[in-house]
Amino acid sequence: GAVVSQHPSWVICKSGTSVKIECRSLDFQATTMFWYRQFPKQSLMLMATSNEGSKATYEQGVEKDKFLINHASLTLSTLTVTSAHPEDSSFYICSARFHGGTGMNIQYFGAGTRLSVL
Amino acid sequence: EDKVVQSPLSLVVHEGDTVTLNCSYEVTNFRSLLWYKQEKKAPTFLFMLTSSGIEKKSGRLSSILDKKELFSILNITATQTGDSAVYLCAVRQGAQKLVFGQGTRLTINP
């Protein structure tokens, strides 16, 4: 299957600092990538849809000034958590949309980034 | 409100047993239903279902969709300890958005 790489896998930072997470599609081009947040023992909640060359689309309740998304190329999207606070500690997962044959539209996921804000 | 509901939330069985995981949905603009397996980190893709009544099969795993009753099942036969994971059901709504269920945590004991 298609491979999506996410980096870093784990980051610890001090409150008030900013953290950047990268999501790369390694063997396919992705015009659309997605950023999810997952709390312990809960499912994935979509935060925003990242569109190459245009602004991201944020889900209701997600602060776009806090979670900055940049999708500058067909293989890279970044999520920057600005002025991180302990309540931002979570597991962040990205996915990239793969268009295969007729009707094939599958999201492949990165390995996730565990963010711990002290 | 769009929702995807999985059951059971947790299941513990012995190796060799057969399990059935359920996923029901109420989602506007349904396009497809997807099953993922999440072990420690990244969900890995299992199946995508778009048509009712057509079984998708991969080894010991199989899945089917009923678009009239709005549900899908994922079957795993002759379970192995390596099948232990959280199984996620997601419905693609419109062009791209996925709505996820809570997941079923499956534990296979030797």
Side-chain angles (χ1 to χ4, degrees), chain B residues 59-100:
Chain B
R60 295 177 294 103
L61 278 67
S62 63
S63 183
I64 198 161
L65 173 67
D66 185 329
K67 289 168 73 173
K68 183 179 176 185
E69 300 297 329
L70 307 183
F71 79 90
S72 172
I73 60 171
L74 174 68
N75 272 326
I76 308 176
T77 59
T79 52
Q80 301 171 358
T81 54
D83 296 326
S84 296
V86 174
Y87 289 83
L88 296 169
C89 171
V91 171
R92 184 159 71 89
Q93 180 182 42
Q96 47 201 17
K97 181 178 177 178
L98 288 182
V99 181
F100 278 86

Side-chain angles (χ1 to χ4, degrees), chain A residues 16-19 64-68 80-85 88:
Chain A
T17 60
S18 294
V19 174
K64 59 183 178 182
D65 293 331
K66 176 150 194 74
F67 299 101
L68 299 179
T80 301
V81 183
T82 62
S83 187
H85 290 285
D88 299 323

